[in-house]
Amino acid sequence: MKTLLYPCLVLCSFLLCHGCSTGVEESPQPGIFRVTLVANEADSILVILGDTARCSRIDRYNVVSSKGRLYNGENYVDLYVAPTIDRDPSLSFNLLQRQWPDGKLIGATDPFEIPRYKTLPVTYTIFEWHTPPGTYDKFEFGLTGIEVFVAIPRQFNNPLQFPPGVTSVMDFPREITINAGRVTQFDLVIDPYKSIRRFQDSYIFDRKISVSQVKNY
């Protein structure tokens, strides 16, 4: 009997392991949803008291992105700056930051006045997060203007504020497909100078942003 019992136990164990279901379906592999933002090169002229501003290495147009969400009806996924354990929901950056064609940022060792035609605007990745696959119908995020500073030909330094009754969060209704194991990139373009206007003694950050493309790869 002992010689027959051991093979029978092995066979029963094999059938139990391979013939039974746990009742829990395997979760699908997430995709990556990435959102980028860049200043529109076609909106690069700021006129200050009749003079046209020129590009310097210390110019800044500081903004903060925050509160990214991707919606499917009432359900949503919170988005973060990068797919790390830090889960940072916001990013501060400079819309007037320039870079050389090789990707090197304009910095302290570069000439004070920068020939715009020889440089490029920096494209920022403001969100990049693991996202369940599926079809979504809206992306939203917050963008807050902090200040604008331009040095040439004269200093222009002003804080920014929202128009009355406007909050930081903007909606972008659009069908967005996230595929398992793939990247969906949502590219935004902002008109930096068209986005500011003077109202009494304040400068209003009236954001002019459009979707340039949505691509999957």
Side-chain angles (χ1 to χ4, degrees), residues 118-140:
K118 291 184 178 181
T119 63
L120 300 168
V122 174
T123 298
Y124 292 95
T125 297
I126 58 175
F127 298 106
E128 185 172 3
W129 195 246
H130 297 292
T131 305
T135 300
Y136 297 81
D137 51 44
K138 184 179 71 172
F139 163 65
E140 73 171 28

Side-chain angles (χ1 to χ4, degrees), residues 51-209:
D51 293 323
T52 300
R54 302 192 300 276
C55 186
S56 86
R57 60 176 164 79
I58 64 171
D59 291 348
R60 61 183 182 269
Y61 190 137
N62 294 333
V63 297
V64 177
S65 62
S66 62
K67 301 178 183 177
R69 282 182 175 178
L70 192 59
Y71 279 85
N72 180 359
E74 295 183 355
N75 299 317
Y76 62 84
V77 177
D78 283 322
L79 304 172
Y80 298 91
V81 173
T84 66
I85 61 173
D86 296 334
R87 295 200 176 195
D88 190 346
S90 63
L91 176 69
S92 301
F93 54 97
N94 176 10
L95 291 175
L96 298 186
Q97 177 69 61
R98 309 291 293 180
Q99 62 184 349
W100 298 109
D102 64 1
K104 180 183 176 183
L105 295 180
I106 302 297
T109 59
D110 291 303
F112 187 75
E113 183 170 351
I114 304 298
R116 178 177 293 276
Y117 69 93
K118 291 184 178 181
T119 63
L120 300 168
V122 174
T123 298
Y124 292 95
T125 297
I126 58 175
F127 298 106
E128 185 172 3
W129 195 246
H130 297 292
T131 305
T135 300
Y136 297 81
D137 51 44
K138 184 179 71 172
F139 163 65
E140 73 171 28
F141 82 114
L143 188 68
T144 303
I146 306 301
E147 67 168 343
V148 177
F149 174 83
V150 174
I152 306 172
R154 64 188 72 195
Q155 288 194 1
F156 174 86
N157 188 11
N158 286 283
L160 299 174
Q161 63 184 55
F162 286 124
V166 174
T167 67
S168 67
V169 177
M170 297 175 291
D171 292 339
F172 296 87
R174 192 181 184 109
E175 184 175 291
I176 301 168
T177 301
I178 306 296
N179 297 310
R182 306 288 293 276
V183 176
T184 298
Q185 185 162 310
F186 194 86
D187 294 330
L188 297 169
V189 177
I190 183 169
D191 294 334
Y193 293 127
K194 290 179 182 177
S195 292
I196 55 176
R197 57 183 173 87
R198 188 167 184 172
F199 177 71
Q200 297 178 352
D201 294 329
S202 302
Y203 281 85
I204 302 299
F205 188 46
D206 193 9
R207 300 155 295 180
K208 308 298 182 187
I209 299 181

